[in-house]
Amino acid sequence: MTATRNEWFHERGNLARDGWESVVDGSLPGWAHTGIRVAKLSGEGLTLPAGDIERIVVPLAGGVTVELDGAAAAAWDGASSVELTGRASVFDGPTDVLYVGAGGGFTVRGTARIAIAEAPTGQPRPTRYIPAADVPVEVRGAGRDTRQVHNFGTPGALDAAALIVCEVITPGGNWSSHPAHKHDEHIAGHESRLEEIYYFEAAPNREFVAAGVVPDDGVDAFGSFVTYSSRAGEIDTHAVVRTGDIALVPYGYHGPAMAAPEYDLYYLNVMAGPDPERVWLISDDPRQAWLRDTWPAQGPDPRLPYAAAPIEGDER
């Protein structure tokens, strides 16, 4: 029997192009409103020209210098470059990020692993640097549904034209994107239409690292991710996810994202859509919505929030 390929899930490197490890943009069939680029830099630079597109530079591991073109610099304060300090890994708390609005281009250089979130738009916004200390950190859910959300690119934190971007840390054994939900219909005040990208990383759970039980010769860190159909379209993703993998959600219910007990799971969410209002409004799967009522009695997972921790030896 021949396996059926899921066009909405891409393992690390399957979308490599032009020096980038992964590129998601409008050249993919059925994809129109969001994009992401991921790269591991070893001192070289990668250039993204100006156009009708807005972007957020997100250091995943390490720091970078972002060299702005004239339009991007003028839309900020005239400085020609911005230093992003970054962090040791995605599991070491929030990072500083840089937003560059439509009409601005830049080159990013350094020794780091980076992601660039993108959305096509003709509406320019000012270039903005967001320090790590200013990133809103939310501990969402309760019990085994607790996760940590960094809301640096959400409407309350960033004046963007279309992009809605955040990152989520799910500690070992927990579930996130749960209950399963969707945002594929325009229902005023209740649900908005948003494409969504999930970019994943996984690493040994920090409790096992601290206990010294993680082997030195590498591990196969993983989690899992699920999508399923809604009235808007058919989709079926049941994937084991590892560092560098990407899941696309054009429509349908999505969740849970599950962290194996021994591994922490991270994902970067990039969302945008065709609706005139930039807002994240969701509808839970009505068969699962009841679980939110269990959260007040459980309380949040005391392991969160994650900040810097001695995670060493894992492959980024």
Side-chain angles (χ1 to χ4, degrees), residues 12-34:
R12 182 177 186 171
N14 284 356
L15 297 173
R17 193 173 82 201
D18 302 328
W20 298 90
E21 176 183 290
S22 296
V23 178
V24 173
D25 59 18
S27 66
L28 293 179
W31 206 250
H33 302 289
T34 59

Side-chain angles (χ1 to χ4, degrees), residues 170-244:
T170 309
N174 283 15
W175 289 24
S176 56
S177 288
H178 189 55
H181 58 279
K182 70 181 185 75
H183 36 72
D184 56 20
E185 295 182 275
H186 178 65
I187 304 174
H190 179 71
E191 185 177 343
S192 52
R193 292 178 294 172
L194 296 166
E195 282 183 347
E196 186 164 14
I197 298 170
Y198 280 72
Y199 163 80
F200 294 97
E201 296 204 8
N205 181 280
R206 62 172 53 197
E207 294 177 335
F208 291 106
V209 173
V213 299
V214 179
D216 294 332
D217 56 353
V219 297
D220 181 22
F222 67 91
S224 61
F225 179 69
V226 173
T227 68
Y228 53 97
S229 303
S230 69
R231 291 180 297 187
E234 294 186 1
I235 187 169
D236 183 12
T237 303
H238 290 76
V240 173
V241 296
R242 297 176 172 86
T243 293

Side-chain angles (χ1 to χ4, degrees), residues 1-302:
M1 179 180 294
T2 302
T4 301
R5 179 179 175 273
N6 181 356
E7 71 271 30
W8 304 118
F9 178 71
H10 301 275
E11 293 182 347
R12 182 177 186 171
N14 284 356
L15 297 173
R17 193 173 82 201
D18 302 328
W20 298 90
E21 176 183 290
S22 296
V23 178
V24 173
D25 59 18
S27 66
L28 293 179
W31 206 250
H33 302 289
T34 59
I36 191 171
R37 295 171 182 265
V38 180
K40 185 175 182 179
L41 301 175
S42 300
E44 74 278 18
L46 286 170
T47 298
L48 291 172
D52 288 338
I53 188 167
E54 61 183 354
R55 303 179 173 104
I56 301 178
V57 183
V58 183
L60 300 171
V64 295
T65 299
V66 184
E67 301 168 357
L68 304 173
D69 71 6
W76 189 33
D77 62 0
S80 60
S81 67
V82 180
E83 299 291 333
L84 297 182
T85 302
R87 54 194 165 182
S89 84
V90 295
F91 300 102
D92 286 285
T95 179
D96 50 350
V97 302
L98 183 71
Y99 169 82
V100 179
F106 58 85
T107 298
V108 58
R109 301 183 188 276
T111 301
R113 187 167 175 81
I114 62 165
I116 313 290
E118 300 181 334
T121 178
Q123 303 177 39
R125 294 288 192 277
T127 301
R128 183 178 173 195
Y129 170 73
I130 301 178
D134 290 349
V135 173
V137 177
E138 174 189 3
V139 176
R140 183 181 299 171
R144 287 299 184 182
D145 292 331
T146 311
R147 55 275 206 182
Q148 175 175 330
V149 186
H150 300 157
N151 288 305
F152 55 79
T154 54
L158 176 67
D159 176 25
L163 273 172
I164 299 175
V165 184
C166 66
E167 53 186 12
V168 179
I169 294 96
T170 309
N174 283 15
W175 289 24
S176 56
S177 288
H178 189 55
H181 58 279
K182 70 181 185 75
H183 36 72
D184 56 20
E185 295 182 275
H186 178 65
I187 304 174
H190 179 71
E191 185 177 343
S192 52
R193 292 178 294 172
L194 296 166
E195 282 183 347
E196 186 164 14
I197 298 170
Y198 280 72
Y199 163 80
F200 294 97
E201 296 204 8
N205 181 280
R206 62 172 53 197
E207 294 177 335
F208 291 106
V209 173
V213 299
V214 179
D216 294 332
D217 56 353
V219 297
D220 181 22
F222 67 91
S224 61
F225 179 69
V226 173
T227 68
Y228 53 97
S229 303
S230 69
R231 291 180 297 187
E234 294 186 1
I235 187 169
D236 183 12
T237 303
H238 290 76
V240 173
V241 296
R242 297 176 172 86
T243 293
D245 292 348
I246 291 174
L248 304 179
V249 185
Y251 40 70
Y253 290 102
H254 39 291
M258 297 168 280
E262 296 81 9
Y263 303 119
D264 293 334
L265 184 66
Y266 161 96
Y267 51 84
L268 177 67
N269 281 148
V270 182
M271 292 175 280
D275 291 351
E277 186 179 8
R278 175 180 169 247
V279 61
W280 181 68
L281 296 174
I282 66 170
S283 294
D284 289 337
D285 183 332
R287 299 166 295 180
Q288 298 186 31
W290 66 272
L291 68 85
R292 293 187 187 272
D293 296 333
T294 71
W295 290 352
Q298 297 182 67
D301 188 326

